[in-house]
Amino acid sequence: NAGVMQNPRHLVRRRGQEARLRCSPMKGHSHVYWYRQLPEEGLKFMVYLQKENIIDESGMPKERFSAEFPKEGPSILRIQQVVRGDSAAYFCASSHLDGPNTEAFFGQGTRLTVV
Amino acid sequence: AQSVAQPEDQVNVAEGNPLTVKCTYSVSGNPYLFWYVQYPNRGLQFLLKYITGDNLVKGSYGFEAEFNKSQTSFHLKKPSALVSDSALYFCAVRDGAAGNKLTFGGGTRVLVKP
């Protein structure tokens, strides 16, 4: 059973370009979470999605960031017109239940560098 | 609002000595508490969780954690540290009254010296 798969592992974008980060949850998992980690800091919650629905986007910046989890295919975190401050590691996690006592399993992350 | 504090940025310990990584939390509902470990350039690996029941929770790789409701703490412990335990450790909480969002502490770097 493959774990949470994120790609690409490393992504370099110039300022103003778009970044697309992909996350395939573990098999059987229908709940996906995105987190951002700045260097030497903890993980900050961004968004929680179920298939075709955004459940909680309280951590998403109001502009340039969007996320989706379509019925088929991976979840996508999209960052438009990237700026240097977007440089970070972006982690995706998945779980198979939506209860608060369910552990989430994390992917290895996508490290975005904006130059 | 839920929050987690890890008061130590780094913990140094000699191999074979006991290891403790501190964590305190704040929630408005019932706390669901988790510990994760992160190795360099890797994702987070789940270690253990507290949901209900016994205050002492046993997890992976010989780690355990003690839930203390009165002190709102959930410290991670290992009786005898290994050099391979050197990593970044994160405590996280879910508030039972506030949905599924996991809130993480800032992390504690553990360095186990031979």
Side-chain angles (χ1 to χ4, degrees):
Chain A
N1 186 10
V4 178
M5 303 300 293
Q6 290 188 248
N7 67 83
R9 291 289 309 277
H10 300 274
L11 182 62
V12 179
R13 283 288 178 266
R14 295 186 184 279
R15 281 178 294 170
Q17 290 184 320
E18 178 179 287
R20 282 185 175 240
L21 288 63
R22 296 176 191 79
C23 169
S24 296
M26 287 180 70
K27 187 176 181 180
H29 288 193
S30 58
H31 304 266
V32 166
Y33 314 81
W34 284 94
Y35 289 81
R36 177 164 61 178
Q37 183 181 33
L38 295 172
E40 300 301 315
E41 293 190 13
L43 280 75
K44 304 297 183 186
F45 169 80
M46 299 182 74
V47 63
Y48 163 40
L49 311 104
Q50 295 179 20
K51 287 283 187 180
E52 300 184 278
N53 286 304
I54 296 175
I55 307 302
D56 181 351
E57 56 181 349
S58 58
M60 286 281 270
K62 293 290 185 281
E63 298 178 347
R64 302 187 297 108
F65 284 72
S66 63
E68 63 176 6
F69 189 17
K71 186 176 180 181
E72 301 291 339
S75 175
I76 305 288
L77 179 68
R78 182 183 178 203
I79 311 173
Q80 295 178 290
Q81 300 174 334
V82 296
V83 300
R84 289 239 171 93
D86 297 333
S87 295
Y90 292 82
F91 289 96
C92 169
S94 73
S95 66
H96 74 293
L97 295 173
D98 63 357
N101 60 346
T102 304
E103 63 266 33
F105 295 87
F106 283 78
Q108 294 194 358
T110 293
R111 278 157 183 82
L112 172 66
T113 302
V114 180
V115 297
Chain B
Q2 56 198 52
S3 65
V4 178
Q6 293 180 243
E8 300 157 316
D9 290 336
Q10 181 159 325
V11 170
N12 297 319
V13 64
E15 188 175 30
N17 282 2
L19 169 64
T20 298
V21 186
K22 296 179 181 177
C23 170
T24 58
Y25 65 90
S26 174
V27 298
S28 55
N30 290 326
Y32 298 86
L33 296 153
F34 304 80
W35 274 102
Y36 286 84
V37 60
Q38 184 180 33
Y39 297 98
N41 298 315
R42 302 292 298 277
L44 275 69
Q45 296 179 27
F46 169 76
L47 280 178
L48 51 78
K49 66 179 178 182
Y50 171 82
I51 304 303
T52 186
D54 290 342
N55 289 341
L56 185 64
V57 179
K58 293 190 183 295
S60 306
Y61 313 120
F63 283 94
E64 56 189 30
E66 186 169 8
F67 171 67
N68 187 317
K69 187 175 182 179
S70 63
Q71 297 184 3
T72 61
S73 67
F74 189 55
H75 301 329
L76 181 70
K77 301 180 181 182
K78 186 169 184 179
S80 179
L82 301 172
V83 172
S84 57
D85 294 328
S86 299
L88 193 54
Y89 290 80
F90 290 100
C91 181
V93 68
R94 275 201 183 110
D95 186 336
N100 285 343
K101 179 172 63 179
L102 262 177
T103 297
F104 284 85
T108 299
R109 185 167 301 283
V110 170
L111 180 60
V112 182
K113 298 181 179 179

